[in-house]
Amino acid sequence: MRAPDKTGVFFYIEMLKKIIEHKTTAPALAVLLVFILGLQKNYSADVGFHLRSAEWILQNHKIISEDHFTYTSEGNKYFDLQWLYQLTLYFLFKLGGDALLVIFNASAISFCFFLAWKRYQNSVTQKVQSVLFLFFVLFGVQALMFEIRPHVLSWIFLSLLLLILEGYKRTENKKIYVIPPLMLIWANTHSLSILGLIVVLIFHMGIYFEQKKWDRKLFFVTLLSLGAFFINPYFIDGFLFPFKQFLIIKGGALQKEYI
């Protein structure tokens, strides 16, 4: 009986099977796939706003606290908790234009998937790691938005936070002390940073219910993380703003329906 044609479909199926079975090649190719898919034309309507905000900050040497760009609400109080992201975007744009912004965004999203793979390595058995991760990538990218927005940094910070907390639960390593500085940067990058604080609190309570005692290190880190949220241009108002955002878009609010 003649062997299958090495240039036909059986050859490629066999090659795909070998790739899936390889514990490092498959995840690397999956992350590369995400990066390639992210190399899209800049279609974000928000980029111009972020660049103009960064330009205003640099020209006026202060963080925006009033609306300067909307005709109907000019002068109203404004919380720019994404000022670090805006400045980063501005410098990248000045350095390489739209092309560099697209590469940066695609790289950031790819890094999110890389962090997801690192978490998979620690929680899934070796035999199914690659297969599950590939399924996760192929399924996830179907609905993934590659728009250039600060949300991508929240994905990264949340993934890093979970990676650190899960590592601490397994080995009680000292990497947990990286969390407060991480929270400080996140709180000045995107308002979804409040999710990080919620995750830390839930993780802390989970350990308490498991061990029937408080973890002193984690309790100390939780307090420092809470304090990090007050180190923003608006102090307590900046900390409370994400909660106000949730109230704005809840239920049948006009902002939720039409924006």
Side-chain angles (χ1 to χ4, degrees):
M1 184 176 179
R2 191 172 62 176
D5 183 4
K6 293 300 182 181
T7 61
V9 66
F10 293 106
F11 173 73
Y12 294 105
I13 292 176
E14 188 66 24
M15 289 295 294
L16 181 61
K17 181 180 178 182
K18 290 180 179 179
I19 290 173
I20 291 176
E21 290 175 348
H22 199 284
K23 64 179 182 180
T24 57
T25 303
L29 290 176
V31 172
L32 179 61
L33 170 66
V34 174
F35 175 75
I36 293 173
L37 291 174
L39 298 178
Q40 304 179 14
K41 183 179 179 180
N42 179 11
Y43 62 88
S44 177
D46 292 343
V47 168
F49 164 73
H50 290 308
L51 294 177
R52 182 66 185 94
S53 297
E55 189 176 52
W56 189 97
I57 292 171
L58 293 172
Q59 289 174 349
N60 293 273
H61 307 289
K62 62 180 181 180
I63 306 300
I64 300 172
S65 58
E66 295 180 357
D67 192 337
H68 299 284
F69 312 120
T70 309
Y71 176 75
T72 54
S73 62
E74 186 173 356
N76 288 350
K77 185 178 290 187
Y78 181 81
F79 298 96
D80 188 15
L81 294 177
Q82 49 204 8
W83 63 275
L84 269 179
Y85 174 80
Q86 291 169 343
L87 289 175
T88 301
L89 214 63
Y90 182 82
F91 288 122
L92 289 173
F93 181 76
K94 286 296 183 181
L95 186 63
D98 264 353
L100 187 56
L101 294 187
V102 170
I103 292 172
F104 167 74
N105 193 63
S107 300
I109 296 175
S110 301
F111 186 56
C112 292
F113 279 86
F114 170 76
L115 292 175
W117 167 245
K118 296 299 291 183
R119 293 183 59 213
Y120 262 113
Q121 282 185 309
N122 298 326
S123 59
V124 183
T125 59
Q126 193 69 36
K127 291 183 178 180
V128 296
Q129 276 183 2
S130 299
V131 175
L132 280 181
F133 184 70
L134 281 173
F135 174 79
F136 168 74
V137 172
L138 294 174
F139 180 79
V141 296
Q142 300 303 313
L144 186 62
M145 293 286 289
F146 289 97
E147 185 178 0
I148 301 175
R149 300 185 68 188
H151 295 74
V152 65
L153 295 186
S154 282
W155 300 347
I156 290 176
F157 290 135
L158 182 59
S159 296
L160 285 172
L161 177 63
L162 291 170
L163 194 62
I164 293 170
L165 288 172
E166 290 165 355
Y168 175 74
K169 186 176 181 180
R170 289 192 307 272
T171 63
E172 295 189 3
N173 56 54
K174 294 183 179 180
K175 291 180 181 178
I176 194 172
Y177 294 111
V178 176
I179 291 178
L182 179 69
M183 290 295 188
L184 175 61
I185 299 172
W186 193 359
N188 289 276
T189 304
H190 193 225
S191 57
L192 277 180
S193 55
I194 197 64
L195 294 178
L197 183 59
I198 293 172
V199 167
V200 173
L201 290 172
I202 292 175
F203 200 89
H204 185 58
M205 294 302 299
I207 289 182
Y208 171 75
F209 286 120
E210 284 183 3
Q211 301 179 358
K212 304 303 180 183
K213 65 178 182 179
W214 295 107
D215 186 307
R216 293 184 179 181
K217 290 182 181 179
L218 190 54
F219 180 73
F220 180 65
V221 167
T222 302
L223 289 180
L224 289 178
S225 299
L226 177 62
F229 276 80
F230 291 91
I231 306 176
N232 68 78
Y234 316 100
F235 193 53
I236 191 169
D237 287 335
F239 171 72
L240 295 175
F241 178 68
F243 296 100
K244 294 178 181 178
Q245 276 188 312
F246 290 132
L247 292 176
I248 290 173
I249 62 174
K250 74 173 185 178
L254 291 176
Q255 292 90 339
K256 180 181 179 181
E257 296 294 329
Y258 298 107
I259 298 180

